[in-house]
Amino acid sequence: MVMGRFKHFIAELLCGLALILLVHAQDQSDFVSLDCGFPENSSYTEWKTGVGYISDAGFIDSGINRQISTEFKGDLQQQLWSLRSFPEGIRNCYRIKIMQGANMWGTIKITNVSISFVKELIHVPSLNYIQLCLVNTQRGTPFISAIELRPLPNSTYVTTDGSLERLWRVDVGSESNIQYRCKFDVYDRMWWPFNFREWTGLSSSLTIESPSSNPYRPPSVVMSTAATPINDSAPLEFHLEPEDVTAKHYIYMHFAEVVKLKANQSRSFNVILNGKHWYGPYVPKYLWTTTLYSKDALNSTGGQYFFSLVKTENSTLPPIINAIEAYSVKNLLQSETDQEDVGAITKIKSTYGVKRNWQGDPCAPQTYSWEGLNCSYDGYNAPRVISLNLSSSGLTGKISADISNLVMLQCLDLSNNSLTGLVPDFLSQLQYLTVLNLERNQLSGSIPTELLERSKNGSLLLSVGESSNFCGSGSCKKKKNIVMPVVASTGGFFIISLTVAAILWVLRRRKQQHKAQEDTKPNVQNPSLESIQRQFTYSDVQRITNNLERAIGKGGFGTVYHGCIDDTQVAVKILSPSSFQGYQQFEAEMQIIM
């Protein structure tokens, strides 16, 4: 679709929920028609309307396919026979390339399973896609039967603010009691038959034309019937009572003369709204459609709109009307999340295969923001992601570079996963980052110097824990005479020889002295320290300390665990990589023990 050609879209909800957007010509190339719950990779043409439908499976990754009972199918169109229900998750969202997902549109309440429900919105998309989300209000399982998107010309249904929710679209004076849409309406709008007991019908078998100057183009079959008062001298009256009396509204009235008037006949009338002159005098044109509407939104008086079409003094015939449309202004003021943040978090979701209910807009509506995300909200400005918590999310691989695109990030928690590789330098470029938790991963190498400096000066709360194969400082240069013991959550190779060797040497010396006193034998020369030093893998450390079961001491830069090597008790001291300032003290302690 070329977005410059269209401005408005109509969204309709059927049998629970469905979405429609209208098009500028009979050609269906711009139509998007999804049968929700229809088998994947399947399609068909609905025989009543001629509209082609495809499965919704490619536009959503949640929900369960269902079929309605045969007894309820009746005269329903085929797209309403199946549905997709959502028993799990608070919010389940469709993403259709052509945006609607950041704002609360409305609430659907179904009280009669035998009656289909249609909800419709004319909306100006701000992006080249639309997101439609069903939110569970804990009053039953949400479901949807069809989604239909139809573009409209820019010149139709123009508003000064907000989108338009359909309240009323009626075929006045209908003689067939049939609902008309595609095949008759080039925009695939739905027209419902409407009559009133004080009216009588008029009709024509001829085609009613819509001039190029009238882009609304109501169908000829709708315009070929009209209503007029039974009493020729009485006004033609109708009224609208919207549920929200504070809302603004737009009313569209379509007129065409369907009777070939004689020379001595005339039809002329004024339109009165709530007792005030609104338009006129107006003379309908024979077989020619004219649409009357206000360019500005209307405000109701006393909670209703009362229209009266009153014939003029010179008119010999009463007023007529062929079709009426009424819309309520919906101010969808919540901005979508900043698109850079949306792109970044979407790629992060894809990279790690995040198993969370991450659907729709990440930050909006605020009540339904994604789990693990906190966002900033500043009036009508786009929300920004400021906190990302992916702790215990089963993440593997390297730390994703897409995180660097969340430029407003203040808090990042990647703890308790299986991330590997180096701590990337780009984390240092997140200038607003104040909390970084990388504990309980399999990361290795050195911590970027800038992160360490920010941690030391108190501008960053850095947590890397005791389970990562980090170097003891900002670089990984080999230390002379010292190897720092570090434990991580995988079976990588770890050196703890100095600590174990030194303590083992002391314990063996004491044991031999004690034995010498008992046997009154000369002391045996203690083995040299060099001969006792050994290298241990992490699995060895786990076996020696029984999975670090018993901590017998803890200092500012490390924890001491009780262990056993063969029949000898040992103490294993492990330096915490989150306490790099203790490295020199730890090294000095090892030298003293040596």
Side-chain angles (χ1 to χ4, degrees):
M1 177 187 303
V2 181
M3 291 302 296
R5 293 169 58 193
F6 305 109
K7 181 178 180 181
H8 302 78
F9 292 82
I10 288 186
E12 287 193 354
L13 313 183
L14 308 175
C15 234
L17 190 61
L19 174 65
I20 298 182
L21 308 183
L22 308 185
V23 72
H24 72 296
Q26 190 67 34
D27 179 16
Q28 295 185 27
S29 60
D30 292 312
F31 281 25
V32 177
S33 305
L34 306 183
D35 186 331
C36 303
F38 200 65
E40 187 174 3
N41 298 323
S42 301
S43 63
Y44 64 90
T45 298
E46 212 289 320
W47 70 273
K48 292 181 180 179
T49 63
V51 174
Y53 287 84
I54 62 174
S55 170
D56 67 333
F59 301 88
I60 194 167
D61 55 10
S62 59
I64 301 173
N65 293 355
R66 300 293 188 193
Q67 291 283 324
I68 66 173
S69 300
T70 303
E71 61 183 295
F72 295 121
K73 290 183 178 179
D75 294 330
L76 292 177
Q77 295 175 9
Q78 186 176 345
Q79 71 271 23
L80 302 182
W81 295 357
S82 59
L83 60 89
R84 182 179 294 271
S85 67
F86 303 94
E88 298 181 357
I90 296 298
R91 181 167 65 161
N92 292 274
C93 299
Y94 286 85
R95 180 184 173 99
I96 305 170
K97 186 171 176 59
I98 45 157
M99 189 78 219
Q100 163 56 35
N103 291 271
M104 185 67 69
W105 173 358
T107 301
I108 296 174
K109 182 178 180 180
I110 297 177
T111 58
N112 189 331
V113 296
S114 64
I115 300 177
S116 62
F117 188 96
V118 180
K119 194 170 180 66
E120 179 180 306
L121 187 75
I122 298 177
H123 180 65
V124 181
S126 58
L127 302 171
N128 66 344
Y129 64 91
I130 188 168
Q131 291 186 129
L132 176 67
C133 300
L134 281 72
V135 177
N136 192 335
T137 61
Q138 307 303 319
R139 296 182 180 180
T141 301
F143 71 94
I144 183 169
S145 298
I147 302 176
E148 302 171 348
L149 311 183
R150 308 288 185 260
L152 287 168
N154 289 347
S155 56
T156 59
Y157 305 104
V158 177
T159 67
T160 55
D161 59 347
S163 302
L164 297 180
E165 182 175 20
R166 180 192 50 77
L167 300 180
W168 212 24
R169 186 185 295 118
V170 292
D171 175 6
V172 180
S174 173
E175 298 177 343
S176 63
N177 202 34
I178 294 176
Q179 178 194 103
Y180 294 107
R181 53 174 302 184
C182 195
K183 283 188 177 179
F184 301 99
D185 190 319
V186 294
Y187 302 140
D188 196 17
R189 291 165 295 191
M190 292 183 176
W191 298 87
W192 284 264
F194 182 75
N195 283 290
F196 189 57
R197 63 179 180 271
E198 296 181 1
W199 298 348
T200 186
L202 301 173
S203 65
S204 173
S205 59
L206 301 176
T207 300
I208 309 297
E209 299 289 346
S210 290
S212 58
S213 59
N214 185 354
Y216 294 95
R217 301 178 67 184
S220 176
V221 67
V222 170
M223 297 303 296
S224 64
T225 61
T228 190
I230 295 176
N231 183 347
D232 286 355
S233 61
L236 188 153
E237 297 177 335
F238 64 92
H239 68 280
L240 177 67
E241 295 182 1
E243 292 184 4
D244 184 359
V245 298
T246 63
K248 297 180 179 180
H249 299 85
Y250 284 85
I251 312 293
Y252 300 83
M253 291 180 284
H254 305 285
F255 301 94
E257 181 61 76
V258 295
V259 177
K260 181 66 174 178
L261 302 186
K262 297 177 181 179
N264 62 345
Q265 290 180 315
S266 65
R267 194 189 309 274
S268 174
F269 54 89
N270 291 300
V271 181
I272 309 299
L273 171 58
N274 292 333
K276 297 181 179 180
H277 182 269
W278 192 59
Y279 189 85
Y282 171 70
V283 177
K285 296 181 180 180
Y286 182 56
L287 304 181
W288 196 259
T289 298
T290 302
T291 301
L292 300 184
Y293 60 93
S294 173
K295 293 184 178 180
D296 298 319
L298 303 176
N299 291 295
S300 64
T301 300
Q304 70 175 1
Y305 298 94
F306 190 88
F307 285 91
S308 181
L309 279 56
V310 182
K311 73 175 184 178
T312 61
E313 293 182 359
N314 297 327
S315 178
T316 63
L317 297 174
I320 63 170
I321 190 167
N322 306 68
I324 307 170
E325 297 179 78
Y327 299 90
S328 175
V329 176
K330 298 289 292 186
N331 289 305
L332 307 178
L333 301 178
Q334 173 64 63
S335 299
E336 294 88 6
T337 301
D338 179 85
Q339 290 305 294
E340 292 294 329
D341 288 1
V342 171
I345 200 67
T346 300
K347 290 181 180 178
I348 292 169
K349 174 186 176 182
S350 176
T351 298
Y352 292 125
V354 177
K355 303 299 183 183
R356 295 184 180 180
N357 188 240
W358 279 11
Q359 298 191 47
D361 190 278
C363 297
Q366 185 172 355
T367 307
Y368 302 105
S369 61
W370 287 5
E371 177 188 357
L373 264 64
N374 286 331
C375 305
S376 63
Y377 300 89
D378 180 18
Y380 299 138
N381 295 326
R384 303 302 301 267
V385 176
I386 60 173
S387 176
L388 175 59
N389 183 351
L390 288 174
S391 176
S392 305
S393 297
L395 310 186
T396 60
K398 298 180 180 180
I399 295 178
S400 172
D402 294 305
I403 293 176
S404 65
N405 293 322
L406 297 174
V407 297
M408 302 301 292
L409 203 61
Q410 301 174 15
C411 178
L412 176 61
D413 188 347
L414 301 176
S415 64
N416 199 33
N417 288 292
S418 299
L419 295 171
T420 56
L422 304 176
V423 178
D425 287 331
F426 64 69
L427 293 178
S428 303
Q429 306 306 313
L430 296 173
Q431 58 179 318
Y432 300 106
L433 192 65
T434 58
V435 178
L436 176 59
N437 190 349
L438 302 176
E439 291 185 340
R440 296 182 296 282
N441 278 288
Q442 300 171 19
L443 299 167
S444 59
S446 61
I447 304 294
T449 303
E450 185 174 338
L451 291 179
L452 291 176
E453 292 177 352
R454 289 166 62 179
S455 176
K456 290 179 181 179
N457 65 30
S459 63
L460 174 67
L461 179 59
L462 175 64
S463 302
V464 292
E466 300 180 356
S467 57
S468 298
N469 191 23
F470 289 126
C471 301
S473 64
S475 66
C476 288
K477 294 181 179 178
K478 186 175 181 180
K479 304 291 181 179
K480 183 178 180 180
N481 297 328
I482 275 294
V483 180
M484 182 184 69
V486 179
V487 178
S489 58
T490 60
F493 200 74
F494 301 94
I495 307 298
I496 61 170
S497 59
L498 289 175
T499 305
V500 176
I503 298 177
L504 179 61
W505 181 80
V506 174
L507 291 175
R508 285 194 174 183
R509 180 176 179 180
R510 291 177 180 174
K511 183 176 181 180
Q512 290 165 350
Q513 289 175 345
H514 180 67
K515 183 176 181 181
Q517 292 174 358
E518 288 184 350
D519 297 342
T520 64
K521 293 181 181 181
N523 289 337
V524 178
Q525 179 65 37
N526 291 307
S528 68
L529 182 62
E530 188 68 23
S531 66
I532 300 175
Q533 291 182 352
R534 289 167 52 189
Q535 292 181 337
F536 297 86
T537 66
Y538 182 54
S539 59
D540 291 332
V541 175
Q542 288 182 307
R543 176 177 51 79
I544 292 170
T545 63
N546 195 22
N547 289 321
L548 305 178
E549 179 183 40
R550 179 183 170 192
I552 58 178
K554 186 171 184 179
F557 51 88
T559 302
V560 181
Y561 296 93
H562 174 270
C564 290
I565 298 179
D566 299 325
D567 295 328
T568 304
Q569 297 186 67
V570 296
V572 181
K573 188 166 188 175
I574 303 176
L575 176 63
S576 170
S578 62
S579 301
F580 295 109
Q581 68 274 14
Y583 178 79
Q584 292 180 347
Q585 293 94 320
F586 187 78
E587 182 179 11
E589 182 178 323
M590 294 299 98
Q591 291 173 343
I592 292 173
I593 294 176
M594 291 288 291

